[in-house]
Short mmCIF file of all heavy atoms in Angstrom, two decimals:
data_model
loop_
_atom_site.label_atom_id
_atom_site.label_comp_id
_atom_site.label_asym_id
_atom_site.label_seq_id
_atom_site.Cartn_x
_atom_site.Cartn_y
_atom_site.Cartn_z
N MET A 13 110.15 -163.99 103.55
CA MET A 13 109.12 -164.89 102.81
C MET A 13 109.92 -165.66 101.77
O MET A 13 110.52 -165.11 100.99
CB MET A 13 108.06 -163.91 102.24
CG MET A 13 107.12 -164.56 101.30
SD MET A 13 105.61 -165.37 102.05
CE MET A 13 104.89 -163.88 102.87
N LYS A 14 109.70 -166.94 101.81
CA LYS A 14 110.25 -167.88 100.85
C LYS A 14 109.37 -168.04 99.71
O LYS A 14 108.10 -168.15 99.82
CB LYS A 14 110.62 -169.18 101.52
CG LYS A 14 111.70 -169.22 102.54
CD LYS A 14 112.99 -169.10 101.96
CE LYS A 14 114.09 -169.25 103.04
NZ LYS A 14 115.45 -169.26 102.49
N ASP A 15 109.84 -168.00 98.50
CA ASP A 15 108.96 -168.25 97.34
C ASP A 15 109.26 -169.64 96.89
O ASP A 15 110.50 -170.11 96.53
CB ASP A 15 109.48 -167.30 96.13
CG ASP A 15 108.75 -167.69 94.88
OD1 ASP A 15 107.50 -167.86 94.94
OD2 ASP A 15 109.51 -167.64 93.85
N VAL A 16 108.27 -170.52 97.00
CA VAL A 16 108.43 -171.98 96.74
C VAL A 16 107.55 -172.32 95.52
O VAL A 16 106.40 -171.92 95.49
CB VAL A 16 107.95 -172.83 97.88
CG1 VAL A 16 108.05 -174.31 97.61
CG2 VAL A 16 108.76 -172.50 99.22
N LYS A 17 108.10 -173.07 94.57
CA LYS A 17 107.42 -173.56 93.37
C LYS A 17 107.50 -175.07 93.38
O LYS A 17 108.53 -175.61 93.59
CB LYS A 17 108.02 -173.08 92.10
CG LYS A 17 107.83 -171.47 91.96
CD LYS A 17 108.60 -171.02 90.61
CE LYS A 17 108.40 -169.54 90.26
NZ LYS A 17 108.42 -168.69 91.37
N VAL A 18 106.35 -175.75 93.24
CA VAL A 18 106.30 -177.20 93.19
C VAL A 18 105.92 -177.44 91.66
O VAL A 18 104.99 -177.07 91.20
CB VAL A 18 105.09 -177.72 94.14
CG1 VAL A 18 105.13 -179.28 93.92
CG2 VAL A 18 105.53 -177.42 95.64
N LEU A 19 106.84 -178.19 91.04
CA LEU A 19 106.77 -178.43 89.68
C LEU A 19 106.20 -179.87 89.53
O LEU A 19 106.71 -180.79 89.96
CB LEU A 19 108.14 -178.34 89.03
CG LEU A 19 108.99 -177.15 89.34
CD1 LEU A 19 110.30 -177.23 88.61
CD2 LEU A 19 108.39 -175.85 88.99
N GLY A 20 105.12 -179.99 88.71
CA GLY A 20 104.61 -181.25 88.39
C GLY A 20 103.24 -181.07 87.76
O GLY A 20 102.70 -180.09 87.72
N PRO A 21 102.77 -182.24 87.04
CA PRO A 21 101.57 -182.19 86.31
C PRO A 21 100.26 -182.12 87.20
O PRO A 21 99.19 -182.02 86.66
CB PRO A 21 101.58 -183.41 85.48
CG PRO A 21 102.41 -184.36 86.29
CD PRO A 21 103.43 -183.49 87.01
N GLY A 22 100.34 -182.24 88.52
CA GLY A 22 99.14 -182.29 89.37
C GLY A 22 98.86 -183.66 89.80
O GLY A 22 97.77 -183.91 90.24
N CYS A 23 99.84 -184.48 89.82
CA CYS A 23 99.67 -185.92 90.17
C CYS A 23 99.55 -185.93 91.75
O CYS A 23 99.75 -184.97 92.46
CB CYS A 23 100.76 -186.84 89.85
SG CYS A 23 102.39 -186.23 90.46
N ALA A 24 99.20 -187.16 92.28
CA ALA A 24 99.02 -187.27 93.76
C ALA A 24 100.36 -186.96 94.52
O ALA A 24 100.18 -186.23 95.46
CB ALA A 24 98.60 -188.68 94.08
N ARG A 25 101.45 -187.31 94.02
CA ARG A 25 102.73 -187.04 94.57
C ARG A 25 102.99 -185.51 94.65
O ARG A 25 103.47 -184.96 95.58
CB ARG A 25 103.87 -187.75 93.99
CG ARG A 25 103.94 -189.16 94.29
CD ARG A 25 105.12 -189.80 93.68
NE ARG A 25 105.46 -189.37 92.33
CZ ARG A 25 106.34 -189.82 91.56
NH1 ARG A 25 107.24 -190.73 92.10
NH2 ARG A 25 106.46 -189.46 90.41
N CYS A 26 102.57 -184.81 93.59
CA CYS A 26 102.81 -183.44 93.46
C CYS A 26 101.87 -182.66 94.50
O CYS A 26 102.42 -181.75 95.18
CB CYS A 26 102.47 -182.86 92.06
SG CYS A 26 103.55 -183.66 90.84
N ASN A 27 100.68 -183.09 94.65
CA ASN A 27 99.76 -182.53 95.56
C ASN A 27 100.15 -182.79 97.03
O ASN A 27 100.13 -181.93 97.91
CB ASN A 27 98.31 -183.07 95.42
CG ASN A 27 97.74 -182.53 93.99
OD1 ASN A 27 98.15 -181.52 93.54
ND2 ASN A 27 96.83 -183.37 93.51
N THR A 28 100.77 -183.99 97.30
CA THR A 28 101.30 -184.35 98.62
C THR A 28 102.53 -183.50 98.84
O THR A 28 102.70 -183.04 100.10
CB THR A 28 101.70 -185.85 98.66
OG1 THR A 28 100.44 -186.60 98.39
CG2 THR A 28 102.28 -186.22 99.97
N THR A 29 103.34 -183.14 97.88
CA THR A 29 104.46 -182.37 98.11
C THR A 29 104.09 -180.95 98.55
O THR A 29 104.62 -180.33 99.44
CB THR A 29 105.34 -182.32 96.85
OG1 THR A 29 105.77 -183.67 96.48
CG2 THR A 29 106.57 -181.43 96.94
N VAL A 30 103.07 -180.43 97.89
CA VAL A 30 102.54 -179.09 98.28
C VAL A 30 102.05 -179.08 99.73
O VAL A 30 102.45 -178.21 100.53
CB VAL A 30 101.42 -178.69 97.34
CG1 VAL A 30 100.69 -177.44 97.93
CG2 VAL A 30 101.87 -178.36 95.89
N GLU A 31 101.35 -180.14 100.12
CA GLU A 31 100.92 -180.28 101.45
C GLU A 31 102.13 -180.39 102.52
O GLU A 31 102.19 -179.81 103.63
CB GLU A 31 99.94 -181.40 101.70
CG GLU A 31 98.63 -181.16 100.92
CD GLU A 31 98.01 -179.87 101.26
OE1 GLU A 31 97.91 -179.43 102.53
OE2 GLU A 31 97.49 -179.15 100.29
N MET A 32 103.15 -181.17 102.08
CA MET A 32 104.35 -181.27 102.97
C MET A 32 105.12 -179.93 103.14
O MET A 32 105.46 -179.60 104.17
CB MET A 32 105.39 -182.29 102.33
CG MET A 32 104.80 -183.77 102.31
SD MET A 32 105.92 -184.85 101.50
CE MET A 32 107.31 -184.94 102.68
N VAL A 33 105.21 -179.15 102.01
CA VAL A 33 105.79 -177.82 102.10
C VAL A 33 105.09 -176.95 103.11
O VAL A 33 105.58 -176.36 103.96
CB VAL A 33 105.88 -177.21 100.75
CG1 VAL A 33 106.39 -175.80 100.84
CG2 VAL A 33 106.93 -178.01 99.75
N LYS A 34 103.78 -176.97 102.96
CA LYS A 34 102.86 -176.15 103.89
C LYS A 34 103.19 -176.53 105.30
O LYS A 34 103.36 -175.66 106.25
CB LYS A 34 101.35 -176.33 103.57
CG LYS A 34 100.99 -175.70 102.28
CD LYS A 34 99.46 -175.87 101.97
CE LYS A 34 99.02 -175.16 100.65
NZ LYS A 34 97.66 -175.59 100.44
N ALA A 35 103.11 -177.83 105.64
CA ALA A 35 103.21 -178.37 106.98
C ALA A 35 104.68 -178.09 107.52
O ALA A 35 104.65 -177.58 108.66
CB ALA A 35 103.02 -179.82 107.00
N GLU A 36 105.71 -178.22 106.69
CA GLU A 36 107.01 -178.07 107.18
C GLU A 36 107.26 -176.57 107.38
O GLU A 36 107.91 -176.13 108.40
CB GLU A 36 108.06 -178.58 106.37
CG GLU A 36 108.08 -180.06 106.35
CD GLU A 36 108.44 -180.56 107.76
OE1 GLU A 36 109.30 -180.13 108.55
OE2 GLU A 36 107.75 -181.62 108.15
N ALA A 37 106.71 -175.66 106.53
CA ALA A 37 106.95 -174.20 106.69
C ALA A 37 106.25 -173.83 107.99
O ALA A 37 106.84 -172.96 108.74
CB ALA A 37 106.38 -173.55 105.46
N GLU A 38 105.07 -174.35 108.20
CA GLU A 38 104.34 -173.94 109.46
C GLU A 38 105.00 -174.32 110.73
O GLU A 38 105.20 -173.53 111.68
CB GLU A 38 102.92 -174.39 109.34
CG GLU A 38 102.02 -173.91 110.49
CD GLU A 38 100.66 -174.40 110.36
OE1 GLU A 38 100.03 -174.53 109.26
OE2 GLU A 38 99.94 -174.79 111.40
N LYS A 39 105.46 -175.55 110.69
CA LYS A 39 106.19 -176.13 111.70
C LYS A 39 107.52 -175.33 112.10
O LYS A 39 107.84 -175.08 113.23
CB LYS A 39 106.65 -177.54 111.52
CG LYS A 39 106.89 -178.41 112.78
CD LYS A 39 107.27 -179.83 112.62
CE LYS A 39 106.79 -180.57 111.32
NZ LYS A 39 107.27 -181.88 111.35
N ALA A 40 108.20 -174.88 111.01
CA ALA A 40 109.50 -174.14 111.11
C ALA A 40 109.23 -172.71 111.39
O ALA A 40 110.13 -171.77 111.66
CB ALA A 40 110.36 -174.39 109.98
N GLY A 41 107.97 -172.13 111.24
CA GLY A 41 107.63 -170.76 111.43
C GLY A 41 108.32 -169.88 110.20
O GLY A 41 108.55 -168.78 110.42
N VAL A 42 108.39 -170.48 109.04
CA VAL A 42 108.85 -169.80 107.87
C VAL A 42 107.71 -169.44 107.02
O VAL A 42 107.07 -170.34 106.44
CB VAL A 42 109.86 -170.66 107.11
CG1 VAL A 42 110.35 -170.03 105.87
CG2 VAL A 42 110.94 -171.06 108.00
N PRO A 43 107.46 -168.12 106.70
CA PRO A 43 106.41 -167.76 105.84
C PRO A 43 106.77 -168.16 104.40
O PRO A 43 107.90 -167.86 103.94
CB PRO A 43 106.28 -166.29 106.09
CG PRO A 43 107.54 -165.82 106.66
CD PRO A 43 108.11 -166.99 107.30
N VAL A 44 105.82 -168.66 103.68
CA VAL A 44 106.03 -169.00 102.31
C VAL A 44 104.96 -168.61 101.35
O VAL A 44 103.81 -168.56 101.83
CB VAL A 44 106.29 -170.59 102.14
CG1 VAL A 44 107.54 -171.16 102.93
CG2 VAL A 44 105.00 -171.49 102.57
N THR A 45 105.30 -168.49 100.15
CA THR A 45 104.19 -168.45 99.06
C THR A 45 104.55 -169.66 98.15
O THR A 45 105.75 -170.00 97.95
CB THR A 45 104.36 -167.22 98.17
OG1 THR A 45 105.64 -167.19 97.58
CG2 THR A 45 104.08 -165.90 98.95
N ILE A 46 103.43 -170.44 97.94
CA ILE A 46 103.63 -171.66 97.15
C ILE A 46 102.85 -171.55 95.71
O ILE A 46 101.66 -171.17 95.83
CB ILE A 46 103.06 -172.83 97.89
CG1 ILE A 46 103.77 -173.08 99.36
CG2 ILE A 46 103.12 -174.05 97.16
CD1 ILE A 46 103.19 -174.07 100.14
N GLU A 47 103.56 -171.77 94.81
CA GLU A 47 103.02 -171.79 93.41
C GLU A 47 103.23 -173.14 92.81
O GLU A 47 104.27 -173.79 92.93
CB GLU A 47 103.76 -170.70 92.48
CG GLU A 47 103.13 -170.56 91.23
CD GLU A 47 103.88 -169.53 90.40
OE1 GLU A 47 104.85 -168.95 90.89
OE2 GLU A 47 103.67 -169.36 89.19
N LYS A 48 102.03 -173.66 92.24
CA LYS A 48 102.08 -174.96 91.59
C LYS A 48 102.32 -174.72 90.08
O LYS A 48 101.59 -173.87 89.47
CB LYS A 48 100.85 -175.81 91.76
CG LYS A 48 100.73 -176.23 93.22
CD LYS A 48 99.30 -176.80 93.45
CE LYS A 48 98.99 -178.14 92.81
NZ LYS A 48 97.75 -178.72 93.18
N ILE A 49 103.38 -175.27 89.55
CA ILE A 49 103.68 -175.08 88.12
C ILE A 49 103.44 -176.42 87.40
O ILE A 49 104.06 -177.50 87.59
CB ILE A 49 105.19 -174.78 87.90
CG1 ILE A 49 105.67 -173.63 88.70
CG2 ILE A 49 105.52 -174.56 86.41
CD1 ILE A 49 105.12 -172.29 88.36
N THR A 50 102.41 -176.36 86.52
CA THR A 50 101.98 -177.53 85.91
C THR A 50 102.27 -177.54 84.36
O THR A 50 102.15 -178.63 83.62
CB THR A 50 100.42 -177.82 86.01
OG1 THR A 50 99.73 -176.71 85.55
CG2 THR A 50 100.15 -177.99 87.43
N ASP A 51 102.76 -176.47 83.82
CA ASP A 51 102.98 -176.38 82.41
C ASP A 51 104.39 -177.10 82.02
O ASP A 51 105.34 -176.73 82.79
CB ASP A 51 103.11 -174.92 82.04
CG ASP A 51 103.46 -174.85 80.52
OD1 ASP A 51 102.59 -175.04 79.70
OD2 ASP A 51 104.60 -174.38 80.26
N TYR A 52 104.26 -178.05 81.24
CA TYR A 52 105.47 -178.89 80.92
C TYR A 52 106.69 -178.03 80.37
O TYR A 52 107.74 -178.40 80.78
CB TYR A 52 105.14 -179.95 79.89
CG TYR A 52 104.27 -181.05 80.52
CD1 TYR A 52 103.04 -181.22 80.18
CD2 TYR A 52 104.94 -181.97 81.38
CE1 TYR A 52 102.23 -182.21 80.83
CE2 TYR A 52 104.11 -182.99 82.06
CZ TYR A 52 102.80 -183.05 81.74
OH TYR A 52 102.06 -184.06 82.28
N ALA A 53 106.46 -177.05 79.67
CA ALA A 53 107.37 -176.24 79.17
C ALA A 53 108.14 -175.44 80.36
O ALA A 53 109.39 -175.24 80.37
CB ALA A 53 106.98 -175.19 78.04
N ALA A 54 107.33 -175.01 81.21
CA ALA A 54 107.79 -174.26 82.42
C ALA A 54 108.64 -175.22 83.21
O ALA A 54 109.69 -174.80 83.69
CB ALA A 54 106.67 -173.56 83.15
N ILE A 55 108.14 -176.37 83.51
CA ILE A 55 108.87 -177.40 84.28
C ILE A 55 110.26 -177.64 83.60
O ILE A 55 111.22 -177.69 84.30
CB ILE A 55 108.05 -178.64 84.40
CG1 ILE A 55 106.76 -178.34 85.32
CG2 ILE A 55 108.86 -179.80 85.02
CD1 ILE A 55 105.78 -179.49 85.36
N ALA A 56 110.18 -177.90 82.21
CA ALA A 56 111.43 -178.22 81.53
C ALA A 56 112.51 -177.03 81.66
O ALA A 56 113.69 -177.29 81.79
CB ALA A 56 111.17 -178.49 80.09
N SER A 57 112.01 -175.81 81.75
CA SER A 57 112.82 -174.60 81.81
C SER A 57 113.70 -174.67 83.05
O SER A 57 114.80 -174.07 83.16
CB SER A 57 112.15 -173.41 81.66
OG SER A 57 111.37 -173.06 82.83
N TYR A 58 113.27 -175.36 84.10
CA TYR A 58 114.10 -175.56 85.42
C TYR A 58 115.02 -176.71 85.31
O TYR A 58 115.82 -176.99 86.27
CB TYR A 58 113.08 -175.72 86.49
CG TYR A 58 112.43 -174.44 87.01
CD1 TYR A 58 111.17 -174.23 86.57
CD2 TYR A 58 113.18 -173.52 87.87
CE1 TYR A 58 110.54 -172.94 87.01
CE2 TYR A 58 112.44 -172.47 88.23
CZ TYR A 58 111.18 -172.13 87.73
OH TYR A 58 110.56 -170.98 88.22
N GLY A 59 115.07 -177.54 84.19
CA GLY A 59 115.90 -178.69 83.96
C GLY A 59 115.32 -179.93 84.73
O GLY A 59 116.22 -180.80 85.00
N ILE A 60 114.12 -179.93 85.15
CA ILE A 60 113.58 -180.92 85.83
C ILE A 60 113.08 -182.07 84.89
O ILE A 60 112.27 -181.80 84.00
CB ILE A 60 112.36 -180.52 86.69
CG1 ILE A 60 112.68 -179.49 87.72
CG2 ILE A 60 111.57 -181.60 87.32
CD1 ILE A 60 113.46 -180.05 88.92
N ALA A 61 113.58 -183.17 85.03
CA ALA A 61 113.10 -184.41 84.22
C ALA A 61 112.19 -185.29 84.79
O ALA A 61 111.36 -185.90 84.22
CB ALA A 61 114.38 -185.16 83.80
N SER A 62 112.16 -185.34 86.16
CA SER A 62 111.17 -186.09 86.87
C SER A 62 110.54 -185.30 87.96
O SER A 62 111.22 -184.52 88.57
CB SER A 62 111.70 -187.47 87.38
OG SER A 62 112.70 -187.21 88.37
N THR A 63 109.25 -185.51 88.17
CA THR A 63 108.51 -184.65 89.11
C THR A 63 108.08 -185.52 90.34
O THR A 63 108.14 -186.74 90.24
CB THR A 63 107.26 -184.12 88.46
OG1 THR A 63 106.37 -185.15 88.01
CG2 THR A 63 107.67 -183.21 87.30
N PRO A 64 107.73 -184.96 91.42
CA PRO A 64 107.64 -183.47 91.63
C PRO A 64 108.98 -182.79 91.90
O PRO A 64 110.05 -183.45 92.21
CB PRO A 64 106.80 -183.33 92.92
CG PRO A 64 106.98 -184.62 93.67
CD PRO A 64 107.31 -185.71 92.54
N GLY A 65 109.03 -181.58 91.50
CA GLY A 65 110.27 -180.76 91.72
C GLY A 65 109.99 -179.66 92.63
O GLY A 65 108.84 -179.32 92.75
N ILE A 66 111.02 -179.19 93.39
CA ILE A 66 110.88 -178.08 94.33
C ILE A 66 111.81 -177.09 93.97
O ILE A 66 113.02 -177.36 93.88
CB ILE A 66 110.87 -178.59 95.76
CG1 ILE A 66 109.88 -179.64 96.10
CG2 ILE A 66 110.70 -177.33 96.67
CD1 ILE A 66 110.03 -180.17 97.41
N VAL A 67 111.37 -175.84 93.80
CA VAL A 67 112.24 -174.66 93.60
C VAL A 67 111.97 -173.76 94.82
O VAL A 67 110.84 -173.36 94.98
CB VAL A 67 111.96 -173.99 92.21
CG1 VAL A 67 112.85 -172.79 92.12
CG2 VAL A 67 112.08 -174.95 91.06
N ILE A 68 113.10 -173.39 95.53
CA ILE A 68 112.90 -172.43 96.59
C ILE A 68 113.81 -171.15 96.20
O ILE A 68 115.03 -171.37 96.07
CB ILE A 68 113.28 -172.97 97.90
CG1 ILE A 68 112.40 -174.16 98.23
CG2 ILE A 68 113.37 -171.90 99.04
CD1 ILE A 68 112.72 -174.95 99.55
N ASP A 69 113.08 -170.02 96.27
CA ASP A 69 113.84 -168.78 95.83
C ASP A 69 114.61 -168.87 94.62
O ASP A 69 115.90 -168.38 94.50
CB ASP A 69 114.68 -168.19 97.11
CG ASP A 69 113.78 -167.84 98.22
OD1 ASP A 69 112.57 -167.47 98.03
OD2 ASP A 69 114.29 -167.88 99.38
N GLY A 70 114.05 -169.50 93.58
CA GLY A 70 114.70 -169.59 92.34
C GLY A 70 115.73 -170.85 92.21
O GLY A 70 116.31 -170.90 91.13
N LYS A 71 116.04 -171.48 93.24
CA LYS A 71 116.95 -172.66 93.24
C LYS A 71 116.26 -173.96 93.23
O LYS A 71 115.44 -174.19 94.16
CB LYS A 71 118.01 -172.44 94.41
CG LYS A 71 119.08 -173.49 94.31
CD LYS A 71 119.95 -173.35 95.58
CE LYS A 71 120.96 -174.48 95.62
NZ LYS A 71 121.65 -174.57 96.85
N VAL A 72 116.59 -174.85 92.27
CA VAL A 72 116.01 -176.25 92.33
C VAL A 72 116.73 -176.94 93.42
O VAL A 72 118.00 -177.09 93.50
CB VAL A 72 116.30 -177.00 91.00
CG1 VAL A 72 115.79 -178.36 91.07
CG2 VAL A 72 115.66 -176.23 89.78
N VAL A 73 115.82 -177.41 94.43
CA VAL A 73 116.47 -178.13 95.50
C VAL A 73 115.97 -179.66 95.59
O VAL A 73 116.58 -180.41 96.33
CB VAL A 73 115.98 -177.53 96.89
CG1 VAL A 73 116.49 -176.07 97.07
CG2 VAL A 73 114.41 -177.49 97.04
N HIS A 74 115.15 -180.00 94.73
CA HIS A 74 114.67 -181.40 94.73
C HIS A 74 113.97 -181.68 93.45
O HIS A 74 113.29 -180.95 92.78
CB HIS A 74 113.60 -181.62 95.80
CG HIS A 74 113.08 -183.06 95.91
ND1 HIS A 74 113.76 -184.08 96.43
CD2 HIS A 74 111.88 -183.57 95.51
CE1 HIS A 74 113.06 -185.18 96.40
NE2 HIS A 74 111.88 -184.85 95.77
N ALA A 75 114.16 -182.94 92.97
CA ALA A 75 113.45 -183.49 91.65
C ALA A 75 113.20 -184.93 91.89
O ALA A 75 114.10 -185.76 92.29
CB ALA A 75 114.30 -183.13 90.44
N GLY A 76 111.95 -185.35 91.51
CA GLY A 76 111.64 -186.81 91.44
C GLY A 76 111.43 -187.46 92.93
O GLY A 76 112.25 -187.36 93.78
N GLY A 77 110.12 -187.89 93.12
CA GLY A 77 109.69 -188.49 94.23
C GLY A 77 109.47 -187.48 95.43
O GLY A 77 109.63 -186.31 95.21
N LEU A 78 108.86 -188.07 96.46
CA LEU A 78 108.55 -187.18 97.57
C LEU A 78 109.81 -186.81 98.38
O LEU A 78 110.60 -187.66 98.64
CB LEU A 78 107.59 -187.96 98.60
CG LEU A 78 106.19 -188.16 98.03
CD1 LEU A 78 105.38 -189.09 98.98
CD2 LEU A 78 105.50 -186.92 97.62
N PRO A 79 109.81 -185.50 98.86
CA PRO A 79 111.02 -185.12 99.59
C PRO A 79 110.95 -185.63 101.01
O PRO A 79 109.76 -186.02 101.46
CB PRO A 79 110.94 -183.66 99.53
CG PRO A 79 109.56 -183.35 99.36
CD PRO A 79 108.96 -184.48 98.57
N LYS A 80 112.06 -185.68 101.77
CA LYS A 80 112.02 -186.05 103.11
C LYS A 80 111.68 -184.86 103.91
O LYS A 80 112.16 -183.77 103.52
CB LYS A 80 113.40 -186.56 103.67
CG LYS A 80 113.78 -187.91 102.99
CD LYS A 80 115.03 -188.34 103.38
CE LYS A 80 115.48 -189.63 102.70
NZ LYS A 80 116.89 -190.02 102.91
N ALA A 81 110.89 -185.02 104.98
CA ALA A 81 110.46 -183.84 105.81
C ALA A 81 111.59 -182.98 106.38
O ALA A 81 111.68 -181.90 106.36
CB ALA A 81 109.48 -184.37 106.95
N ASP A 82 112.72 -183.78 106.83
CA ASP A 82 113.81 -183.08 107.41
C ASP A 82 114.59 -182.27 106.35
O ASP A 82 115.06 -181.15 106.54
CB ASP A 82 114.65 -183.96 108.15
CG ASP A 82 115.24 -185.12 107.41
OD1 ASP A 82 114.64 -185.52 106.42
OD2 ASP A 82 116.35 -185.64 107.81
N ASP A 83 114.61 -182.83 105.18
CA ASP A 83 115.28 -182.03 104.00
C ASP A 83 114.43 -180.84 103.78
O ASP A 83 115.08 -179.70 103.56
CB ASP A 83 115.33 -182.92 102.75
CG ASP A 83 116.37 -183.95 102.96
OD1 ASP A 83 117.32 -183.82 103.74
OD2 ASP A 83 116.37 -184.95 102.16
N LEU A 84 113.13 -180.91 103.72
CA LEU A 84 112.31 -179.75 103.48
C LEU A 84 112.56 -178.59 104.44
O LEU A 84 112.75 -177.49 104.19
CB LEU A 84 110.79 -180.16 103.48
CG LEU A 84 110.15 -180.40 102.27
CD1 LEU A 84 108.72 -181.01 102.36
CD2 LEU A 84 110.21 -179.36 101.25
N ALA A 85 112.59 -179.01 105.73
CA ALA A 85 112.82 -178.09 106.79
C ALA A 85 114.11 -177.39 106.66
O ALA A 85 114.27 -176.15 106.78
CB ALA A 85 112.79 -178.78 108.14
N LYS A 86 115.11 -178.12 106.23
CA LYS A 86 116.48 -177.60 106.14
C LYS A 86 116.47 -176.61 105.02
O LYS A 86 117.00 -175.46 105.01
CB LYS A 86 117.48 -178.75 105.87
CG LYS A 86 118.98 -178.34 105.83
CD LYS A 86 119.86 -179.60 105.78
CE LYS A 86 119.25 -180.79 105.01
NZ LYS A 86 120.19 -181.84 104.76
N TRP A 87 115.82 -176.95 103.87
CA TRP A 87 115.74 -175.98 102.67
C TRP A 87 115.04 -174.78 102.96
O TRP A 87 115.42 -173.73 102.44
CB TRP A 87 115.09 -176.73 101.48
CG TRP A 87 115.95 -178.02 100.93
CD1 TRP A 87 117.15 -178.14 100.94
CD2 TRP A 87 115.22 -179.13 100.39
NE1 TRP A 87 117.48 -179.46 100.54
CE2 TRP A 87 116.28 -180.10 100.11
CE3 TRP A 87 113.96 -179.57 100.09
CZ2 TRP A 87 116.06 -181.25 99.49
CZ3 TRP A 87 113.69 -180.71 99.49
CH2 TRP A 87 114.74 -181.64 99.18
N LEU A 88 113.85 -174.91 103.68
CA LEU A 88 113.16 -173.74 104.09
C LEU A 88 113.91 -172.79 104.99
O LEU A 88 113.67 -171.63 104.92
CB LEU A 88 111.81 -174.20 104.62
CG LEU A 88 110.77 -174.85 103.61
CD1 LEU A 88 109.66 -175.47 104.35
CD2 LEU A 88 110.29 -173.85 102.62
N LYS A 89 114.63 -173.29 105.83
CA LYS A 89 115.48 -172.51 106.86
C LYS A 89 116.64 -171.82 106.16
O LYS A 89 117.19 -170.94 106.82
CB LYS A 89 115.82 -173.30 108.02
CG LYS A 89 114.50 -173.75 108.88
CD LYS A 89 114.94 -174.57 110.04
CE LYS A 89 113.71 -175.17 110.80
NZ LYS A 89 114.22 -176.10 111.87
N ALA A 90 117.09 -172.29 105.17
CA ALA A 90 118.33 -171.82 104.51
C ALA A 90 118.19 -170.49 103.93
O ALA A 90 117.19 -170.07 103.62
CB ALA A 90 118.88 -172.82 103.38
#
């Protein structure tokens, strides 16, 4: 089970990122738990300056803009 956190204030890109993570995880057959982090102090604690950010199993893998689907799949399978 992968622990995924999507960091962002809840903007449209952040919500789209959550949906992308769900879709890629399902496609790859990788079980995930997804948590949306909207608290600015919590986001800053990950060193993220631009959102959305993605943290998988405690490691920041993406920050700023929508991720590419193939990158998401790669991160989820790692």
Side-chain angles (χ1 to χ4, degrees):
M13 173 86 54
K14 294 281 185 179
D15 176 44
V16 180
K17 292 178 178 37
V18 176
L19 313 177
C23 63
R25 286 187 312 182
C26 299
N27 294 331
T28 299
T29 300
V30 169
E31 294 307 315
M32 290 176 71
V33 169
K34 287 180 186 175
E36 287 303 316
E38 188 174 319
K39 200 182 332 180
V42 176
V44 296
T45 58
I46 301 173
E47 181 181 358
K48 291 169 71 174
I49 307 292
T50 58
D51 179 70
Y52 287 106
I55 292 169
S57 74
Y58 285 97
I60 298 287
S62 63
T63 60
I66 301 173
V67 177
I68 299 178
D69 292 337
K71 180 182 176 193
V72 176
V73 295
H74 177 79
L78 293 173
K80 294 180 182 168
D82 58 333
D83 287 340
L84 265 176
K86 189 172 31 173
W87 298 329
L88 290 168
K89 291 177 185 174

